[in-house]
Amino acid sequence: MASDELNVLIAQKRANPYDPTQSIESLRGNGPDGGSIARPDTIVTSSDADGVYGEWVAWGAPATQSVFMFLHGGGYYRSSAKASRRVASNLSKACGCRCFTVDYSLAPEHPFPAAVDDAYTVYHWLLKQGISAEQIVVGGSSAGGGLTAALLAKLKLNGEKQPAGAVLLSPWTDLTQSAGTFVSNADSDPTISKLYLDRMAKQYLNGADPTDPLASPVFSELEGLAPILVQVGKSETMFGDALAYVAKAREAGVQVELDPYDDVIHGWHNSDHVVPNMPEAFAAIDKIGKFFKAHADYIR
């Protein structure tokens, strides 16, 4: 049963449905600005990661040099590292590590593969800071979850070492929007529709093939990827994206855990600044913390 806090969040989302007549600039204005307020006892430090802006977010005194590299959501067209401070500080607390949030390039000004290139650049920049691949867990929500999977795919294509693990939160892994849950869950998901994602996919791809494995990583070769945790809501329209990616990963022999949730909506991990203390959000983030500590090299 949904918590009172989750019911409040759902009501807020239903009261503000997607309007296809809104411009991209207007939709960007509806972004999660409140997410820029980190939880107490958090230090945020700006950084230039070889030309890509990012922020170190650390709650308390992290117990390890391992890092959670976080890629925000937002349909590849909105949100930012700054807007991710709240969720990053929650992840920092749960994982006992520093988070590095990435301000990757956004469409339509910077279409595919700019976001993938920026994530790849930041991953290599972290390595150049003396942080080993075994000390990095990469993760993200929605488009950021798809971008996380795309980064794994690019590293595999280039024959490079995978990170210690990957966390995909309600990931957008298929830019064709062909999953059956776009129809079956259309009424249960108050935030994400096929109409919305078709628009954002078109401007992100800018004419590129939607089945390109770095745009839609469900079409990539998954053998040899890092261990993966996938969290998603069963009532999300994008539930099918998660199911398809997990099924293909399992067929490829990847260590992957599917962690589905009843009642939650898309992006519930990022809701602490909207509806504080939502049990469903903290239960999921606590599980991410356990995954991080199980897979990252936890040496001080």
Side-chain angles (χ1 to χ4, degrees):
M1 179 180 295
S3 67
D4 291 342
E5 292 84 358
L6 177 56
N7 283 326
V8 168
L9 180 65
I10 292 171
Q12 289 182 4
K13 297 296 184 181
R14 290 201 181 280
N16 186 33
Y18 167 62
D19 178 359
T21 67
Q22 279 189 283
S23 67
I24 292 301
E25 291 74 18
S26 177
L27 288 168
R28 283 173 173 167
N30 290 335
D33 292 338
S36 63
I37 303 172
R39 67 179 302 118
D41 300 319
T42 300
I43 296 175
V44 178
T45 307
S46 300
S47 189
D48 181 341
D50 281 344
V52 181
Y53 176 77
E55 294 185 346
W56 287 108
V57 180
W59 179 87
T64 176
Q65 292 301 310
S66 294
V67 171
F68 194 112
M69 176 180 159
F70 184 76
L71 300 165
H72 65 78
Y76 291 111
Y77 76 96
R78 72 174 180 180
S79 199
S80 64
K82 180 179 179 181
S84 305
R85 289 174 182 171
R86 187 72 175 189
V87 67
S89 57
N90 285 333
L91 287 168
S92 174
K93 182 179 181 182
C95 298
C97 73
R98 295 179 297 163
C99 284
F100 190 81
T101 56
V102 182
D103 227 31
Y104 58 84
S105 299
L106 299 177
E109 296 88 350
H110 305 282
F112 172 79
V116 183
D117 292 342
D118 284 351
Y120 183 76
T121 293
V122 171
Y123 180 77
H124 278 273
W125 178 81
L126 290 173
L127 296 176
K128 287 190 281 187
Q129 307 313 300
I131 303 165
S132 69
E134 292 82 4
Q135 292 176 306
I136 301 173
V137 170
V138 182
S141 176
S142 191
L147 187 54
T148 297
L151 174 59
L152 299 186
K154 181 161 185 171
L155 292 170
K156 176 181 168 59
L157 283 171
N158 291 346
E160 299 178 70
K161 184 174 288 188
Q162 294 280 307
V167 178
L168 279 55
L169 311 177
S170 302
W172 190 14
T173 64
D174 181 359
L175 273 64
T176 70
Q177 283 69 254
S178 58
T181 49
F182 280 103
V183 176
S184 62
N185 287 352
D187 293 334
S188 61
D189 189 330
T191 59
I192 304 296
S193 67
K194 185 178 186 301
L195 179 68
Y196 173 75
L197 288 187
D198 282 347
R199 178 185 180 184
M200 302 316 163
K202 182 178 181 180
Q203 72 164 12
Y204 173 59
L205 291 167
N206 192 37
D209 184 353
T211 66
D212 186 308
L214 296 185
S216 297
V218 74
F219 298 108
S220 64
E221 297 296 327
L222 275 62
E223 290 85 359
L225 296 192
I228 300 170
L229 171 66
V230 179
Q231 294 184 332
V232 65
K234 295 177 184 177
S235 60
E236 293 189 53
T237 55
M238 293 168 69
F239 185 42
D241 274 40
L243 292 179
Y245 188 83
V246 167
K248 187 169 182 180
R250 285 175 174 165
E251 288 178 4
V254 177
Q255 181 182 339
V256 58
E257 178 183 359
L258 175 64
D259 185 27
Y261 289 75
D262 295 323
D263 304 316
V264 299
I265 64 172
H266 189 75
W268 84 97
H269 301 82
N270 306 311
S271 65
D272 192 38
H273 67 283
V274 179
V275 181
N277 304 315
M278 191 172 78
E280 292 86 350
F282 284 103
I285 289 173
D286 284 347
K287 195 153 190 177
I288 295 169
K290 291 181 175 66
F291 175 87
F292 182 96
K293 292 172 182 177
H295 293 285
D297 184 347
Y298 220 68
I299 299 172
R300 293 177 181 270

